[in-house]
Amino acid sequence: MKTVYVCSNTVTGIYSAIYDAWKARKGEEECSVALRGAVETELFCEYVEVEETVHKAQAVEALICRHLGREAYWDIYHAVLAADTGKGDAILGAMLAAKTIPDSRRIMEHLSHPKVEKVFELSRSVIGEAHFLKGAVRFRELAGGVLYARISPKAQVLTCLAPHFADRLPLENWMIYDRVHRMFVIHEAKKRWILVQDEFLDPERLPDLTEEEKEYTKLWKGFVHAVSVESRENLKLQRQHLPLRFRPDMVEYM
Amino acid sequence: MSSSESMTTYTYEGIPQYMPQGAGGLRPSMFQKLNILADAAKYDVACTSSGTARSNDGTGMGSCERSGICHSYSADGRCISLLKILFTNECIYDCKYCINRRSNDVIRTSFTPDEVCTLTIEFYRRNYIEGLFLSSGILRSPDYTMELIYAAIYKLRKEYNFQGYIHVKAIPGASKELIQKVGFLADRMSVNLELPTAESLKLLAPHKTRKNILTPMRLVQNRMAENKQELALYRNAPGFVPAGQSTQMIIGATPETDFQIMQVAQSLYQRFELKRVFYSAFIHVNEDSLLPARTDEGPPLLREHRLYQADWLLRYYHFRAEELLSEENPNFNVLFDPKCNWALKHLGQFPVEINRADYKMLLRVPGLGYKSAVRIVKARRVGTLDFSDLKKIGVVLKRAMYFITCNGKMLYPTKLEEDYIARNLLSAGEKLPGEVVNMGYHQLSLFDDVGFSGKMQQYM
C-alpha cells in the first residue's frame, strides 16, 4: 500500500517527510509527500503525519550533498521553496530515481524522468523569481534609519535574497517582509541576517517614513519618467519584462 | 547664458570643481536637475550592469553580480539598471543629431561631484539601481570634462566607499593619463562611435573625428591587456575596466547599409575586443537639413532589432558579416531573422542530422539556440535523439523542422525549396514584427528603410 507523508509547507517539513520516506526504504511507487492543506485523498493510501524536526532536515540536506552533489543540491534547495503543492513529491521522486542510475551525481541530467524534470522546472522558476526580486525590492527608510521593504512573491524566496543584500548593504539595518508567506529577513548592521517566521507584522505599527525618503521617492519617480524615450514607448514590452503583480510593492508605480 | 559666467572654479586636490548656477543666478532644484540630466542622457542605449562579480569588503556599500541586475523598466520597455545621467548637458560641440548640441536652446545645468555621489548612494541603498552610468556633454574641453567625471567617481569610490557598478564614458580627445585614471575606478568604459563611418561622422559631428574616437578605445584595450598580466602576477593589483568596454552607434541617420554596419561591428569585436556594440535607432530630436527627413514612422526599430539579432550571431554563433549580407544584398530581410534568412539561402547545407552534425553546424539551424545545441551534444552521447527529445531540450520545432533530420527522417515530408519553406514558415504563424503586420495600413514610401519592399512581394 502506498504511504503518503503529510507535512507543512516549510523546508524543515518537506525534508522531514523525505527523511521518513527514505527511512522506510520504500520504492518510487510506494510513497509520496503531500503538503498539509493540499492533500488529495486517494484510495488505498495510508496517510502519515510527519513529525518535523531540524535534525531530520539537516540529515536529508547532508544526504543530498553527499550523494547527489552540490549542483543537484542547489536545484533541490530552490525547488523546496517553490509555490507548488507537488514539490515534495517531485524531490522525493528525483532522489529515489538517483538510486537507480549508475552515477547518482548526474541525476539532474536525466530530464526525461518526469520527477527530475519537475524539480528542474521548479528550481528554474524560483531562481528566476529570486533574481528578478534582487532588482525589484524597494527599501524605504523609516524613522530611525531602518530600511524596510515589502515583497509579495509566489515562492519563498527570502532566503535567496538575504545573502545578496547582506553582502551588498553590510553597514545598514534593513528588513524585508514577505507578506504572502508572512516571513521576515532582518539584518542588523555588521551582523548576520536572520529569518523570522510565524510572526505577523502589523503595518500600523511601522514607524513613519522619513522626510528624506519622500524626497528620494519623488526623485526616483522623476528619473524613471525622464529616462524613457517617448517615441519608443512600448507599454506591452514593459509589462512583459515587469509583470503587474510586482508593481504594488515598487515605489515608482505606487 | 555663457558658460564662463555660470561657474566658479577652485581646486580640490588639483581637480577643478564646477559650481553650476541656473539662469539668472537661481539654482535649479535637485529634482529639476535630475530630470534635465536624465532626460538628456536617455538616448544613450547601454544600461547593462553585467561583466563584473565583486563582493563587498564589509566596509562600504555595494556589490556586483556577473549577470547584471535589472531594477526597473521604463515606459519604452527598456531596462533601468544604472542611474544614467549626464554630468552636464552643456556642450561645446554641435553634433547635428544630439539634443544637447550647442546651437540648441535648452536649459543647461550640471551636477557637482558631491551631488552625483549622494544621488548614487541614496538610490543604491534603496535598491533602485545597480550603479552609476556617467556620461557628459563637453564642458570647456575634453580634458576639463574628463577631470570632472574623474573627480565625481573618485569621490564615489574613495570617500563614499561605493563598490557597486560604474560605467563611464571616455571622452574622445581627453588625455591618456586621465582616461587611465578613470579606468582604474570604473567597471566598464565606453567611447561612442556615434556613426558607422568616418564620412558620416564628418558630416553630422563636425567637431569629432574617427581618430579621436578610436584612440581612447585602443588605449583602453591595451591597458586592459596589460592589466591582465599585472593581475596574473599580483592578485591584488587594481583592476582596469574589469567589465570590458563597449560602444554604440546611431542607425538610420546616415545612408550606411546593414552590411556596412555589420562589418564595422565585426571589426570592432575583432580588432578592439569590445564586449558589446550597441545600436541606437535614430530619433529625430533636431531639425537639420543634414538629417534624414522626418516621417511619421518613428525610429527604425525593426532595423535596430535585426542588427541586434545579427550581432548575436557574430558573437555567439560563429557567423561572419559576409555570410549574412553582401554587396548585392546589403540589407536584412524584414520577414525573417538573419539566421533564418541565411538558412533559406543556403539550403544546400540542410537538412542537418541532429545525431551527427558538429556543434557549429547545429548553431546554424533556425529554431536552435546555443543552449539547446549544447544540450543536444551532451544528450546524444547517452543515446540517439528523436523529435520528442528535441522538444524537451527546448528546440523550436515549428521552425527547425524544415532544416533537420533525426535518424535520417524529417518530422514531416518537406520540400527543400526556398519558396516552399518561406511560405510555410510564414503561414505557421512566424512571429512577424509589428512594423510588418501594420504594413497593410500605410503605403510604402520612397523614404522607407532601404530594400525592404522587394522582399515582401517575393513571399506574399
Side-chain angles (χ1 to χ4, degrees):
Chain A
M1 196 162 67
K2 189 173 171 183
T3 312
V4 179
Y5 295 89
V6 182
C7 61
S8 68
N9 183 11
T10 58
V11 180
T12 314
I14 291 165
Y15 279 162
S16 297
I18 292 173
Y19 181 92
D20 287 357
W22 197 266
K23 266 273 149 95
R25 296 185 176 281
K26 296 202 178 254
E28 247 184 282
E29 299 305 318
E30 295 163 334
C31 60
S32 82
V33 174
L35 300 184
R36 196 171 297 130
V39 182
E40 284 173 34
T41 326
E42 284 176 69
L43 281 176
F44 312 114
C45 270
E46 179 192 8
Y47 291 87
V48 183
E49 286 282 328
V50 173
E51 189 205 338
E52 299 171 8
T53 68
V54 176
H55 163 74
K56 285 182 182 175
Q58 283 170 344
V60 170
E61 277 195 342
L63 179 81
I64 297 170
C65 284
R66 197 163 59 243
H67 293 290
L68 306 185
R70 294 298 299 183
E71 269 175 54
Y73 171 74
W74 193 241
D75 278 328
I76 292 173
Y77 166 85
H78 283 102
V80 170
L81 305 172
D84 186 298
T85 49
K87 59 188 177 181
D89 195 40
I91 296 168
L92 177 62
M95 288 175 65
L96 290 169
K99 276 200 205 172
T100 63
I101 60 168
D103 183 358
S104 60
R105 287 176 171 260
R106 308 185 77 159
I107 180 63
M108 292 315 292
E109 285 172 30
H110 286 251
L111 289 180
S112 50
H113 191 287
K115 297 274 169 74
V116 177
E117 193 193 348
K118 173 135 193 192
V119 170
F120 180 70
E121 266 169 30
L122 291 177
S123 138
R124 265 220 308 216
S125 81
V126 174
I127 290 174
E129 191 176 26
H131 179 80
F132 185 86
L133 279 167
K134 281 180 188 175
V137 162
R138 292 289 176 267
F139 286 112
R140 316 203 73 187
E141 192 182 54
L142 305 179
V146 174
L147 294 171
Y148 167 77
R150 188 188 66 188
I151 55 172
S152 323
K154 284 183 182 160
Q156 304 167 25
V157 291
L158 273 185
T159 47
C160 311
L161 298 178
H164 171 77
F165 287 108
D167 177 44
R168 175 161 287 204
L169 305 169
L171 307 181
E172 301 277 353
N173 298 310
W174 52 260
M175 61 196 272
I176 307 175
Y177 171 49
D178 175 347
R179 71 168 168 181
V180 177
H181 306 94
R182 292 183 181 173
M183 292 195 278
F184 304 90
V185 160
I186 297 174
H187 177 270
E188 203 180 322
K190 296 184 183 174
K191 292 196 179 147
R192 297 173 64 156
W193 57 272
I194 48 168
L195 183 73
V196 184
Q197 253 165 323
D198 301 323
E199 268 187 56
F200 191 56
L201 176 88
D202 185 3
E204 303 287 307
R205 274 174 33 214
L206 276 181
D208 290 335
L209 299 175
T210 57
E211 279 310 306
E212 249 199 344
E213 177 59 35
K214 289 171 194 161
E215 190 55 35
Y216 280 106
T217 304
K218 198 179 128 201
L219 284 172
W220 173 239
K221 282 185 172 178
F223 175 78
V224 171
H225 180 75
V227 88
S228 176
V229 178
E230 307 84 48
S231 57
R232 298 182 64 121
E233 188 175 287
N234 190 343
L235 295 178
K236 210 176 134 198
L237 185 63
Q238 186 194 27
R239 212 158 49 235
Q240 245 172 49
H241 289 306
L242 181 58
L244 296 174
R245 73 178 172 100
F246 291 106
R247 297 191 193 183
D249 296 326
M250 300 172 77
V251 286
E252 62 266 41
Y253 301 103
M254 279 180 196
Chain B
M1 171 180 83
S2 84
S3 56
S4 58
E5 276 166 16
S6 67
M7 68 182 101
T8 32
T9 307
Y10 61 94
T11 312
Y12 163 81
E13 288 174 18
I15 297 158
Q17 297 286 293
Y18 177 62
M19 299 296 289
Q21 281 178 324
L26 274 177
R27 281 184 161 230
S29 70
M30 193 60 186
F31 183 74
Q32 289 166 319
K33 269 195 191 184
L34 180 62
N35 266 317
I36 294 168
L37 293 170
D39 188 83
K42 70 184 174 190
Y43 301 103
D44 230 298
V45 272
C47 193
T48 53
S49 53
S50 54
T52 324
R54 181 168 57 231
S55 285
N56 192 291
D57 62 8
T59 64
M61 178 186 295
S63 59
C64 294
E65 292 246 323
R66 169 94 39 213
S67 59
I69 296 177
C70 292
H71 285 251
S72 196
Y73 288 87
S74 49
D76 51 14
R78 297 189 303 167
C79 138
I80 301 176
S81 181
L82 305 172
L83 172 63
K84 184 160 56 181
I85 45 175
L86 295 190
F87 189 86
T88 173
N89 64 343
E90 292 192 45
C91 196
I92 55 171
Y93 291 165
D94 201 33
C95 307
K96 308 292 177 220
Y97 48 81
C98 179
I99 184 91
N100 304 313
R101 62 176 180 173
R102 69 165 182 229
S103 52
N104 273 11
D105 183 20
V106 296
I107 306 172
R108 307 281 173 173
T109 184
S110 302
F111 284 122
T112 62
D114 271 309
E115 284 171 339
V116 172
C117 294
T118 321
L119 260 184
T120 310
I121 293 287
E122 292 297 334
F123 274 15
Y124 194 88
R125 67 191 278 262
R126 288 169 175 79
N127 204 38
Y128 296 165
I129 52 167
E130 200 54 20
L132 173 68
F133 180 122
L134 191 58
S135 179
S136 184
I138 313 295
L139 188 68
R140 286 193 186 176
S141 72
D143 267 346
Y144 187 80
T145 314
M146 201 76 231
E147 275 187 43
L148 286 170
I149 289 180
Y150 174 68
I153 63 168
Y154 181 87
K155 245 186 194 225
L156 188 56
R157 282 280 194 237
K158 304 290 172 180
E159 284 177 33
Y160 291 79
N161 204 345
F162 178 71
Q163 299 167 31
Y165 198 89
I166 298 183
H167 179 157
V168 180
K169 287 276 165 203
I171 308 284
S175 80
K176 202 176 146 188
E177 291 69 36
L178 268 171
I179 288 175
Q180 285 205 34
K181 282 205 287 188
V182 170
F184 278 109
L185 298 173
D187 287 289
R188 171 166 289 184
M189 280 184 95
S190 54
V191 193
N192 284 357
L193 194 66
E194 309 292 7
L195 294 159
T197 56
E199 301 81 68
S200 300
L201 197 68
K202 209 168 167 186
L203 188 72
L204 295 186
H207 300 95
K208 294 181 179 166
T209 62
R210 190 70 155 199
K211 186 175 156 272
N212 261 354
I213 291 171
L214 294 182
T215 310
M217 215 183 255
R218 182 68 80 195
L219 174 71
V220 174
Q221 180 196 13
N222 291 340
R223 202 63 197 81
M224 276 169 66
E226 285 170 32
N227 187 235
K228 250 185 212 135
Q229 306 248 314
E230 290 162 8
L231 285 171
L233 269 176
Y234 313 101
R235 209 162 46 87
N236 293 324
F240 185 85
V241 195
Q245 68 169 329
S246 62
T247 191
Q248 67 163 349
M249 50 185 151
I250 301 167
I251 301 308
T254 44
E256 285 88 5
T257 61
D258 291 346
F259 185 42
Q260 281 173 297
I261 294 167
M262 284 327 292
Q263 281 179 318
V264 171
Q266 181 166 277
S267 73
L268 286 171
Y269 285 129
Q270 284 172 353
R271 297 184 28 228
F272 289 87
E273 297 170 277
L274 292 195
K275 256 280 167 11
R276 286 292 299 273
V277 174
F278 291 95
Y279 310 90
S280 155
F282 171 66
I283 295 165
H284 256 285
V285 289
N286 298 330
E287 292 303 336
D288 199 297
S289 58
L290 292 170
L291 293 173
R294 195 185 281 268
T295 62
D296 298 334
E297 277 155 39
L301 295 178
L302 174 58
R303 191 168 177 210
E304 183 193 273
H305 179 59
R306 290 281 181 256
L307 284 166
Y308 275 118
Q309 287 178 317
D311 185 77
W312 214 258
L313 295 182
L314 294 187
R315 288 186 296 135
Y316 294 103
Y317 289 83
H318 303 275
F319 274 93
R320 295 191 46 81
E322 300 77 43
E323 291 181 275
L324 299 170
L325 298 165
S326 60
E327 295 291 349
E328 299 77 48
N329 236 339
N331 290 302
F332 288 116
N333 192 321
V334 245
L335 295 175
F336 299 107
D337 64 78
K339 188 170 160 189
C340 203
N341 197 43
W342 177 85
L344 287 171
K345 299 284 175 211
H346 294 82
L347 285 175
Q349 306 193 26
F350 295 99
V352 163
E353 169 56 45
I354 289 293
N355 289 296
R356 272 197 305 275
D358 70 341
Y359 175 68
K360 279 195 180 173
M361 195 57 214
L362 287 177
L363 286 179
R364 298 192 162 219
V365 178
L368 229 156
Y370 64 93
K371 275 191 185 157
S372 340
V374 170
R375 284 190 203 131
I376 288 174
V377 173
K378 265 192 188 167
R380 69 188 182 187
R381 278 190 207 130
V382 220
T384 48
L385 294 174
D386 209 342
F387 284 101
S388 60
D389 299 316
L390 291 187
K391 205 163 209 173
K392 268 186 202 149
I393 281 172
V395 175
V396 189
L397 278 181
K398 203 171 71 181
R399 325 186 66 204
M401 63 180 198
Y402 304 99
F403 306 98
I404 54 172
T405 58
C406 282
N407 303 313
K409 284 191 200 119
M410 296 192 97
L411 185 56
Y412 304 111
T414 305
K415 276 190 268 183
L416 264 181
E417 282 171 18
E418 188 186 340
D419 284 359
Y420 173 84
I421 297 176
R423 241 177 302 121
N424 272 293
L425 278 172
L426 287 176
S427 64
E430 177 80 358
K431 229 174 108 196
L432 287 176
E435 285 86 338
V436 180
V437 178
N438 296 331
M439 262 185 183
Y441 303 120
H442 51 84
Q443 206 66 42
L444 294 169
S445 73
L446 277 173
F447 305 106
D448 268 349
D449 279 338
V450 262
F452 279 177
S453 43
K455 295 272 167 39
M456 284 290 289
Q457 261 109 49
Q458 201 177 331
Y459 300 119
M460 286 295 187

